[in-house]
């Protein structure tokens, strides 16, 4: 089991659009085989910064979900919304 923390910064004025799209993606990701949890957090200090906190059974399931149609559709919505590429951090759970 491992956790992924993915930071996403969106362009000013685009946080609502990103929220709408990520809220469509989240339930589909949770249902994907191997996904144990998926949370989306928005920064209190900067409304344009989001974190996706994901827990996966293994890296294979995590990598496979990028090939799913719903993930590909979500990635298309980032054009003109994302300020930069997603910054993923794969973490091992210490406690």
């Amino acid at each position: 089991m491992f956790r992924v923390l993915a930071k996403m910064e969106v362009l000013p004025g685009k946080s609502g659009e990103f929220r709408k799209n990520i809220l469509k993606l989240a339930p589909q990701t949770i249902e994907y085989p191997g996904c144990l949890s998926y949370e989306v957090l928005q920064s209190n200090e900067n409304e344009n910064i989001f974190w996706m906190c994901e827990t996966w059974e293994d890296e294979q399931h995590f990598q496979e979900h990028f090939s799913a149609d719903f993930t590909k559709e979500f990635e298309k919505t980032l054009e003109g919304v994302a300020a930069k590429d997603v910054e993923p951090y794969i973490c091992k759970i210490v406690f």
Side-chain angles (χ1 to χ4, degrees):
M1 180 169 56
F2 71 98
R3 180 134 329 135
V4 178
L5 302 175
K7 181 181 178 184
M8 170 59 76
E9 185 174 346
V10 300
L11 296 168
K14 296 293 186 173
S15 63
E17 185 176 344
F18 179 78
R19 282 177 63 115
K20 178 185 76 165
N21 293 324
I22 196 81
L23 290 175
K24 291 178 188 173
L25 173 77
Q28 295 174 330
T29 303
I30 290 168
E31 293 297 318
Y32 195 82
C35 183
L36 303 175
S37 69
Y38 188 92
E39 295 177 295
V40 179
L41 309 172
Q42 186 175 19
S43 171
N44 283 337
E45 290 82 28
N46 182 343
E47 70 175 13
N48 299 316
I49 295 181
F50 293 83
W51 289 90
M52 284 67 71
C53 305
E54 310 170 38
T55 305
W56 291 85
E57 286 180 11
D58 54 45
E59 189 167 354
Q60 179 180 342
H61 285 101
F62 171 67
Q63 292 299 333
E64 287 174 353
H65 99 281
F66 289 110
S67 298
D69 289 341
F70 68 89
T71 303
K72 290 178 183 178
E73 287 300 314
F74 171 74
E75 288 173 348
K76 291 177 189 175
T77 71
L78 295 176
E79 188 173 329
V81 173
K84 51 177 106 172
D85 290 339
V86 174
E87 295 176 47
Y89 300 89
I90 297 178
C91 307
K92 55 186 165 192
I93 299 170
V94 177
F95 177 78

